[in-house]
C-alpha cells in the first residue's frame, strides 16, 4: 500500500511583537518629525530670501535714483556749453583757448549773431570774449577732426544759438542746390540741413549713449535733446514727441 499522505504543514508565521511594532512606529515618528523640521526651515529660508529680494529691489531703486540725480546735476553744469564738430583748428593754436574761441566765433557763431541783430533779438553783436567764457579741443582718434567744447557766458546766448541754428548757421553747398534748402525740397530734407560745423548740446556720457541708442532703434524716426532732456518720435506716430524720463530705463520700456 502507498504511504499515507501527511497533512500539508502550514508555513510558520512569525507574529510581530508589540515591542517591534512600537520600535518601528518610533522610527517613523522620528523621520516625520525630521521632515517637518526641514520643511519649517525651508519655509523660513524662503521668507528670508523673499525679504532679501525686497531689500535688494529697494536698494537698486535707491542706486538708480542716485545715479539719475548725479546725471541731472552733471547735465545742468553742462547747460552753458555746446559741442562743435568738423572744425579743424591749426595745430599751433589748438592748445590756446583764446585762439580756439576766435576760430569758433568767427566761423560759426558770428553769422548767427548777425542774424539775431537783424531780427532785433540782440541790440549789438557781442565780441568773442563777451560771448564765450572758454573753448577747448577734446581728444580724438588719429585722422579725425576733434570736437570742440565751447562754454558760453550766459545760457540765454547759448539758447539763441540753437534758436537760429537752422536758418543762420553756415551750411555746406549741395550740388545743384544753394546752401539754404530749396523750397522745392521735401520736408525731411529741410528738417535736416547739411551744416558746415554741426553743434549740439554738450550731453553727459550717459545721456549721449542713450540718445544714440534710441536714435538707432528700428521703431524710432528721430531723436534729439532740449536742455539735456532727450526726446524722440516714432515712425508709427511721427507728430507726437515723447520725452525720456529716465535714461537708465530699457529702450523697449521707453517705446511702449
Amino acid at each position: 500500500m502507498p504511504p499515507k499522505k501527511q497533512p500539508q504543514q502550514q508555513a510558520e508565521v512569525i507574529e510581530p511583537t508589540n515591542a517591534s511594532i512600537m520600535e518601528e512606529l518610533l522610527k517613523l515618528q522620528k523621520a516625520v518629525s525630521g521632515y517637518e523640521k526641514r520643511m519649517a526651515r525651508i519655509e523660513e529660508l524662503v521668507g528670508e530670501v523673499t525679504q532679501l529680494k525686497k531689500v535688494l529691489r529697494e536698494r537698486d531703486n535707491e542706486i538708480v535714483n542716485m545715479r539719475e540725480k548725479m546725471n541731472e546735476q552733471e547735465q545742468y553744469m553742462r547747460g552753458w556749453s555746446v559741442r562743435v564738430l568738423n572744425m579743424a583748428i591749426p595745430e599751433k593754436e589748438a592748445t590756446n583757448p583764446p585762439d580756439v574761441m576766435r576760430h569758433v566765433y568767427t566761423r560759426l557763431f558770428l553769422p548767427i549773431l548777425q542774424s539775431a541783430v537783424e531780427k532785433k533779438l540782440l541790440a549789438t553783436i557781442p565780441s568773442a570774449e563777451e560771448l564765450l567764457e572758454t573753448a577747448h579741443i577734446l581728444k580724438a582718434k588719429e585722422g579725425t577732426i576733434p570736437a570742440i567744447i565751447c562754454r558760453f557766458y550766459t545760457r540765454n546766448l547759448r539758447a539763441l544759438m540753437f534758436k537760429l541754428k537752422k536758418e543762420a548757421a553756415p551750411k555746406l553747398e549741395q550740388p545743384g542746390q544753394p546752401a539754404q534748402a530749396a523750397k522745392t525740397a521735401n520736408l525731411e530734407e529741410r528738417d535736416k540741413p547739411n551744416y558746415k560745423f554741426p553743434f549740439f548740446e554738450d550731453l553727459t556720457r550717459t545721456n549721449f549713449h542713450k540718445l544714440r541708442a534710441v536714435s538707432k532703434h528700428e521703431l524710432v524716426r528721430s531723436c534729439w535733446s532740449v536742455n539735456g532732456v532727450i526726446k524722440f518720435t516714432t515712425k508709427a506716430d511721427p507728430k507726437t514727441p515723447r520725452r525720456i524720463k529716465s535714461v537708465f530705463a530699457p529702450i523697449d520700456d521707453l517705446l511702449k
Side-chain angles (χ1 to χ4, degrees):
M1 294 180 64
K4 294 182 179 180
K5 294 182 179 180
Q6 297 293 331
Q8 187 175 1
Q9 295 183 352
Q10 295 181 352
E12 184 178 359
V13 178
I14 301 176
E15 296 289 340
T17 64
N18 290 338
S20 62
I21 292 175
M22 291 301 298
E23 185 178 352
E24 292 299 324
L25 288 175
L26 287 174
K27 290 181 180 179
L28 182 61
Q29 184 179 8
K30 187 180 294 185
V32 171
S33 177
Y35 286 129
E36 289 177 347
K37 290 181 180 179
R38 291 180 184 178
M39 290 301 299
R41 180 54 181 162
I42 290 173
E43 292 177 357
E44 183 180 348
L45 290 174
V46 169
E48 292 177 2
V49 170
T50 302
Q51 184 63 26
L52 284 174
K53 286 183 177 180
K54 180 180 178 181
V55 172
L56 290 174
R57 282 196 300 267
E58 293 175 351
R59 192 69 53 83
D60 288 343
N61 291 335
E62 291 176 0
I63 292 174
V64 170
N65 290 337
M66 187 179 299
R67 293 175 66 191
E68 289 276 8
K69 290 179 180 179
M70 292 176 62
N71 183 65
E72 290 174 1
Q73 183 64 29
E74 182 184 352
Q75 187 59 64
Y76 177 80
M77 298 304 296
R78 293 173 180 242
W80 281 266
S81 303
V82 299
R83 184 181 297 249
V84 180
L85 306 180
N86 295 351
M87 185 177 293
I89 305 295
E91 186 176 353
K92 62 180 181 180
E93 300 177 282
T95 57
N96 186 24
D99 288 337
V100 177
M101 288 167 52
R102 177 173 52 82
H103 276 280
V104 177
Y105 174 83
T106 304
R107 300 161 67 182
L108 174 58
F109 295 133
L110 184 56
I112 302 177
L113 292 171
Q114 291 170 341
S115 176
V117 171
E118 293 173 1
K119 293 178 177 297
K120 298 184 179 180
L121 298 175
L122 286 177
T124 58
I125 297 177
S127 65
E129 292 73 21
E130 293 171 330
L131 181 72
L132 301 176
E133 179 184 346
T134 188
H136 67 275
I137 298 177
L138 298 177
K139 292 182 179 180
K141 296 181 180 179
E142 186 176 354
T144 62
I145 301 176
I148 303 173
I149 299 296
C150 302
R151 184 174 178 86
F152 289 79
Y153 266 114
T154 71
R155 296 168 73 97
N156 288 338
L157 286 173
R158 173 184 175 274
L160 186 61
M161 297 299 103
F162 283 111
K163 181 177 181 178
L164 300 178
K165 172 183 177 179
K166 188 173 179 180
E167 60 182 89
K171 300 176 183 66
L172 293 172
E173 291 282 350
Q174 296 182 4
Q177 185 175 322
Q180 195 168 13
K183 294 182 179 180
T184 56
N186 61 47
L187 180 60
E188 187 172 354
E189 289 176 347
R190 286 187 281 123
D191 283 346
K192 298 179 180 180
N194 195 9
Y195 295 110
K196 189 174 183 180
F197 306 112
F199 65 96
F200 309 92
E201 292 188 317
D202 183 24
L203 297 178
T204 65
R205 182 180 181 86
T206 299
N207 287 349
F208 174 75
H209 284 298
K210 178 62 69 173
L211 184 147
R212 186 167 62 176
V214 172
S215 64
K216 291 182 178 180
H217 197 280
E218 60 181 2
L219 300 180
V220 173
R221 180 179 184 273
S222 61
C223 186
W224 67 97
S225 67
V226 179
N227 295 326
V229 177
I230 301 174
K231 297 184 177 182
F232 67 96
T233 59
T234 62
K235 295 177 181 178
D237 187 10
K239 294 185 178 180
T240 305
R242 300 187 186 186
R243 173 181 176 176
I244 293 180
K245 295 182 179 180
S246 174
V247 292
F248 295 101
I251 295 179
D252 291 338
D253 291 347
L254 299 173
L255 292 172
K256 289 181 180 178

